Amino acid sequence: MLEDKNPRRTPLSELGEFKLIDHLTAQFEIGHESTLKGIGDDAAILNFDGNNVVVSTDMLVEGVHFDLSYMPLKHLGYKAVMVNLSDIYAMNAKATQITVSIAVSNRFPLEALEVLYQGIATAAKLYNIDVVGGDTTSSTTGLIISVTAIGTVEKDKQVLRSGAQPNDLLVVTGDLGGAYMGLQVLEREKEVFKVNPKNQPDLSMYTYIIERQLKPEARKDIVELLEKLEVKPTSMIDISDGLSSEIIHLCKQSNVGVDLYENKIPLDPQVISTCEEFNIDSTTVALNGGEDYELLMTIAQKDYDKIKGNPNLTVIGYMTDKEKGMHLVTRAEERIPIIAKGWNALNNQP
Ligand code: ADP
Ligand code: MG
């Protein structure tokens, strides 16, 4: 053990996830020419005399990121791959390999891990990914699964978080808030089940949002679509923590502001009806819910005609000068500052 002469004990909740990462990683300098982009984007970018290589890693922890009482192991394996591929696609890159590391307690029989790996294998096959390594170790309590994803991107195609310009369009793929509302339904059914285990819930009205929570799809198709449309976004990030948190990342790293229009945020009818049922504001859910694994990007005005009317891409706002700040323009045309309430892994509250 290294001796710790520092008697201060700063609670991690004082910093939050992003400040903690900044604090711990500020000391790391880039020493190799092959490191083109280190910490701070969805993936690192490396170059070894050819195409750029992108690398990203994400860990899922039982009790923090998933609850095995409603998360089938097969889906967990699938999702662990998706959350990692999503970061590769956020660089406008192609994902090619993953490594998978697990920590398991003896609570899990072999058969359970076989099912977990069926999910991993299904994802790898469907997304054309080679599984090339990993690590296996024991855990005293829960299950931990950590995946590292590797991909490639041509240098002139790579997209960082930092390239947005004033007047660029803010564009999002798919629809938002589904994964969070799916989680609300699953949490509610878990409580009902505790009281009455014989009760067979009818979840047919929630199939889309439950699938968004349990079986997200990383947007490989969007990287292919952008190539086909000959559109290179000026910046891009995947939506893991919620729209507002990701918008703030793009704005801060690009030194721009934003006007986001509430009435443009794409919501599935099932998200709207479930929000009504739970008495939650659907805009709040889209802004702060997280885990949608859609892509958020900025696109130059000149490319508008190429994306216009495409059902996969919704323009939800535009970038402004930094001095104008970051605002949500509500349906009532009020301008409300955007703040990051997104998923905070350290207090586990959305
Ligand atoms: P994402 O949500 O896209 O996975 P994160 O917010 O987790 O991104 O991480 C932001 C950046 O910080 C990434 O470049 C990531 O690799 C880096 N990072 C996160 N945690 C650590 C850590 N413990 N040590 C070093 N780098 C880290
Ligand atoms: Mg990301």
Side-chain angles (χ1 to χ4, degrees):
M1 240 345 235
L2 286 172
E3 204 180 330
D4 184 2
K5 294 214 176 75
N6 186 348
R8 281 191 63 198
R9 290 180 56 84
T10 309
L12 295 182
S13 55
E14 230 174 65
L15 295 99
E17 181 184 348
F18 301 128
K19 280 201 186 123
L20 174 65
I21 296 173
D22 287 348
H23 184 84
L24 296 178
T25 60
Q27 61 184 309
F28 297 126
E29 287 169 10
I30 301 294
H32 289 276
E33 257 177 37
S34 50
T35 310
L36 299 188
K37 173 89 202 172
I39 292 163
D41 215 298
D42 291 294
I45 306 178
L46 317 177
N47 182 297
F48 306 100
D49 308 322
N51 278 351
N52 285 349
V53 175
V54 288
V55 184
S56 181
T57 197
D58 260 301
M59 182 155 58
L60 299 181
V61 178
E62 185 178 356
V64 179
H65 300 100
F66 58 90
D67 181 332
L68 288 175
S69 58
Y70 49 73
M71 181 67 155
L73 279 165
K74 189 167 177 180
H75 289 72
L76 176 63
Y78 193 90
K79 184 168 176 175
V81 178
M82 288 308 130
V83 306
N84 280 278
L85 298 188
S86 181
D87 278 322
I88 299 295
Y89 301 138
M91 309 303 288
N92 205 29
K94 294 187 172 69
T96 44
Q97 289 91 5
I98 54 169
T99 64
V100 180
S101 300
I102 53 171
V104 275
S105 70
N106 54 14
R107 180 178 122 227
F108 296 91
L110 168 67
E111 288 71 18
L113 297 183
E114 282 175 353
V115 175
L116 177 75
Y117 269 69
Q118 274 171 19
I120 294 171
T122 304
K125 190 159 180 223
L126 219 60
Y127 283 73
N128 192 20
I129 305 293
D130 296 337
V131 182
V132 296
D135 193 23
T136 305
T137 176
S138 56
S139 136
T140 48
T141 50
L143 174 66
I144 298 173
I145 171 161
S146 171
V147 175
T148 297
I150 297 158
T152 61
V153 61
E154 289 159 42
K155 202 171 170 32
D156 60 349
K157 292 238 169 92
Q158 77 193 21
V159 177
L160 304 181
R161 293 177 176 180
S162 54
Q165 299 285 334
N167 296 321
D168 282 354
L169 304 165
L170 183 66
V171 173
V172 72
T173 64
D175 52 71
L176 300 176
Y180 179 78
M181 289 318 292
L183 182 64
Q184 300 315 301
V185 170
L186 290 166
E187 291 277 358
R188 182 180 69 185
E189 293 313 318
K190 182 185 168 186
E191 294 309 312
V192 172
F193 184 80
K194 273 190 201 157
V195 180
N196 183 2
K198 289 213 180 82
N199 185 36
Q200 275 293 327
D202 176 14
L203 297 177
S204 56
M205 17 171 345
Y206 308 111
T207 44
Y208 176 68
I209 56 174
I210 288 176
E211 187 158 318
R212 293 286 285 170
Q213 169 59 220
L214 296 183
K215 193 171 171 290
E217 301 291 348
R219 300 304 309 256
K220 176 180 195 246
D221 60 321
I222 296 297
V223 176
E224 292 159 2
L225 175 71
L226 291 170
E227 187 168 23
K228 202 178 93 200
L229 296 175
E230 294 179 15
V231 172
K232 185 188 168 195
T234 52
S235 71
M236 188 147 65
I237 187 169
D238 73 322
I239 304 187
S240 49
D241 295 330
L243 182 61
S244 48
S245 169
E246 316 303 359
I247 286 179
I248 293 170
H249 281 311
L250 287 189
C251 286
K252 287 204 169 147
Q253 295 202 26
S254 297
N255 275 313
V256 292
V258 70
D259 277 352
L260 165 70
Y261 288 86
E262 182 181 22
N263 64 355
K264 303 284 185 203
I265 297 174
L267 300 169
D268 187 85
Q270 229 173 64
V271 171
I272 296 172
S273 59
T274 314
C275 280
E276 279 169 10
E277 189 189 332
F278 279 74
N279 206 9
I280 310 178
D281 177 50
S282 55
T283 302
T284 308
V285 166
L287 288 175
N288 305 315
E291 288 201 290
D292 288 313
Y293 299 105
E294 296 294 340
L295 295 174
L296 176 72
M297 65 193 90
T298 54
I299 289 180
Q301 293 270 357
K302 70 170 171 53
D303 287 332
Y304 176 61
D305 281 342
K306 297 185 195 165
I307 63 155
K308 195 167 65 180
N310 192 301
N312 289 293
L313 304 170
T314 308
V315 178
I316 56 174
Y318 57 87
M319 312 319 278
T320 62
D321 288 330
K322 188 184 179 185
E323 293 67 40
K324 288 218 164 140
M326 301 178 278
H327 290 97
L328 173 74
V329 183
T330 67
R331 290 193 184 87
E333 300 205 356
E334 277 176 301
R335 290 166 58 83
I336 300 177
I338 297 174
I339 45 165
K341 275 212 223 101
W343 181 265
N344 186 333
L346 298 174
N347 61 21
N348 199 16
Q349 287 294 316

